């Protein structure tokens, strides 16, 4: 089955666009949502996190001690790399399991991930889509959606590849600038994917 990655900077609208693909019957794997779920489900991951960041990483009832983990990785790039090295393979495992559960008649699936290119997981997809939006638009959308300041949005943007870096790795682009129709762009890509 054709696996298509979809990514874009924070607030670019990748989740919104995935919802349009879903209306066409295309299953979407939301990697960032799954990553949060498996932190308390995937036994290999839980063991790795406890070994790397201490038993205190989980509270008595198995709840992730996110405050503890965030406190370690927030300003420590090496610790963040270690966490990613544990989480990313676990998300890959979850994705493979999920793909195996998709009905065989389905023409393709989408994997939505904020760090598709940064994590290297785009290499496991057959094709990759980049959603682009003007910087100021992305910032104002996220500030409105998450009630955060411009500086907080910028701090998140700084942790991601720039669109220029991502463009080099993308096979397709969806322009979400609120003047180009995202529905028409999705329908056009959908037709290309089902005809491959
Ligand atoms: P993140 O990386 O933060 O998860 P995202 O790329 O998935 O963001 P969305 O959550 O889809 O982005 O969109 C961010 C916000 O912008 C949402 O509130 C969404 O409703 C709004 N938005 C996205 N695209 C459009 C659009 N074309 N017109 C109006 N609002 C939009």
């Amino acid at each position: 089955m054709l696996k298509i990655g979809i990514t874009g900077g924070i607030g670019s609208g990748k989740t919104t666009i995935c919802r349009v693909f879903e209306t066409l019957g295309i299953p979407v794997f939301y990697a960032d949502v799954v990553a949060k779920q498996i932190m308390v489900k995937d036994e290999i991951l839980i063991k790795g996190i406890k070994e790397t960041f201490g038993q205190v990483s989980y509270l008595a009832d198995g709840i992730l001690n996110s405050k503890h983990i965030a406190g370690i990785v927030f300003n420590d790039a090496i610790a963040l790399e270690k966490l990613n090295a544990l989480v990313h393979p676990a998300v890959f495992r979850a994705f493979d399991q999920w793909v195996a559960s998709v009905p065989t008649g389905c023409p393709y699936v989408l994997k939505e991930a904020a760090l598709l290119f940064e994590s290297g997981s785009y290499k496991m997809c057959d094709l990759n889509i980049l959603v682009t939006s003007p910087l100021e638009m992305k910032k104002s959308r996220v500030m409105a959606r998450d009630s955060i300041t411009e500086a907080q949005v910028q701090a998140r943007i700084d942790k991601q590849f720039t669109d220029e870096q991502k463009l080099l790795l993308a096979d397709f682009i969806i322009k979400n600038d609120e003047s180009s129709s995202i529905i028409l762009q999705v329908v056009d890509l959908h037709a290309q994917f089902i005809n491959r």
Side-chain angles (χ1 to χ4, degrees):
M1 186 179 308
L2 194 63
K3 293 177 227 165
I4 302 176
I6 178 162
T7 191
I10 180 168
S12 57
K14 53 196 170 295
T15 306
T16 305
I17 284 163
C18 284
R19 301 283 182 227
V20 183
F21 277 102
E22 283 181 316
T23 65
L24 298 172
I26 298 306
V28 181
F29 179 88
Y30 292 94
D32 304 322
V33 175
V34 172
K36 285 194 187 115
Q37 293 167 347
I38 59 176
M39 294 288 272
V40 291
K41 268 195 198 156
D42 185 304
E43 293 301 334
I44 303 170
L45 176 59
I46 294 170
K47 187 168 173 278
I49 288 179
K50 284 183 180 167
E51 281 169 5
T52 311
F53 300 106
Q55 293 292 325
V56 69
S57 302
Y58 287 85
L59 305 171
D61 46 8
I63 293 174
L64 181 73
N65 187 349
S66 351
K67 215 173 165 183
H68 169 73
I69 309 266
I72 298 174
V73 303
F74 193 70
N75 280 320
D76 183 342
I78 293 171
L80 180 61
E81 238 171 68
K82 284 183 187 169
L83 179 63
N84 285 337
L86 293 165
V87 175
H88 290 153
V91 176
F92 300 162
R93 287 195 291 277
F95 180 60
D96 287 342
Q97 276 177 16
W98 178 84
V99 169
S101 74
V102 170
T104 42
C106 189
Y108 66 96
V109 294
L110 288 182
K111 179 182 192 180
E112 190 236 45
L115 301 180
L116 187 78
F117 293 130
E118 293 86 336
S119 70
S121 76
Y122 73 97
K123 292 178 193 155
M124 286 166 217
C125 294
D126 304 296
L127 298 166
N128 292 286
I129 304 169
L130 175 66
V131 180
T132 62
S133 291
L135 182 64
E136 290 312 315
M137 197 175 274
K138 289 191 278 194
K139 280 188 187 171
S140 55
R141 282 180 188 154
V142 177
M143 285 162 67
R145 187 194 60 190
D146 299 347
S147 306
I148 56 174
T149 64
E150 188 174 355
Q152 286 170 310
V153 183
Q154 189 61 52
R156 293 190 200 174
I157 290 172
D158 291 344
K159 290 199 168 76
Q160 303 185 333
F161 281 3
T162 62
D163 273 0
E164 287 68 31
Q165 290 170 298
K166 289 175 187 166
L167 279 166
L168 298 172
L169 300 167
D171 301 293
F172 300 96
I173 291 156
I174 295 179
K175 216 168 152 188
N176 184 19
D177 58 4
E178 295 178 27
S179 52
S180 327
S181 160
I182 55 173
I183 294 176
L184 289 181
Q185 294 177 80
V186 168
V187 168
D188 175 50
L189 283 182
H190 179 71
Q192 293 187 46
F193 298 152
I194 57 177
N195 287 320
R196 278 180 92 91

